[in-house]
Amino acid sequence: ALDALADGGVKMGLPRRLAVHLGAQALLGAAKMLLESEQHPGQLKDNVCSPGGATIHALHVLESGGFRSLLINAVEASCIRTKELQFMADQEKVPAAAIKKTTLSKVQKESPSVSTAPAGAKVSLFNRYSGGRKH
């Protein structure tokens, strides 16, 4: 995504180095805002989108292109493939050393804030957001 943001900046006349820097700052700023807030990402988006402004126009282009669905599908594909590889390793069809194992337990040891829920449980990371999504 950062490379694509930088390409957009270059297309609009920015030098490559500046375009990469600005793209990285935009991603870093959005991530910090989310991590430091207890607001739902949709609420944060609503907070930064001015009526008729540049951000809402850019988001409309992303939505029109199916960006959200692509991200969801990419996460799903990665999870499915990870489970397939783990199954093959467990069946000794693939050497365990050939599979890069990043297990949830390892992540939890490194990040105690990560928790698990029983399979099938609905989990909300942003319980304080009471409003609905605006489209």
Side-chain angles (χ1 to χ4, degrees):
L2 179 55
D3 193 39
L5 284 173
D7 286 347
V10 170
K11 180 179 180 182
M12 299 312 297
L14 295 176
R16 169 71 55 188
R17 187 175 177 141
L18 178 59
V20 169
H21 181 77
L22 291 174
Q25 285 294 323
L27 294 175
L28 179 62
K32 280 185 172 183
M33 189 184 322
L34 180 62
L35 292 172
E36 293 171 1
S37 169
E38 292 194 17
Q39 291 182 313
H40 186 279
Q43 183 62 51
L44 292 173
K45 174 203 52 135
D46 290 349
N47 293 348
V48 300
C49 287
S50 303
T55 303
I56 194 64
H57 276 78
L59 289 172
H60 178 249
V61 170
L62 291 171
E63 291 289 334
S64 297
F67 186 71
R68 287 173 49 87
S69 292
L70 286 173
L71 290 177
I72 292 166
N73 292 344
V75 170
E76 179 182 36
S78 177
C79 289
I80 289 170
R81 185 60 180 153
T82 298
K83 288 177 183 178
E84 291 170 350
L85 292 171
Q86 185 62 55
F87 178 78
M88 288 190 307
D90 291 344
Q91 301 299 312
E92 297 183 21
K93 293 179 182 176
V94 174
I99 298 174
K100 186 178 180 180
K101 291 186 178 182
T102 303
T103 62
L104 184 55
S105 60
K106 181 178 178 184
V107 171
Q108 286 176 319
K109 287 177 187 172
E110 294 172 6
S111 300
S113 63
V114 175
S115 63
T116 60
K122 292 188 179 186
V123 177
S124 174
L125 299 175
F126 307 97
N127 292 327
R128 294 184 181 251
Y129 181 58
S130 59
R133 298 249 334 147
K134 294 182 182 179
H135 293 282

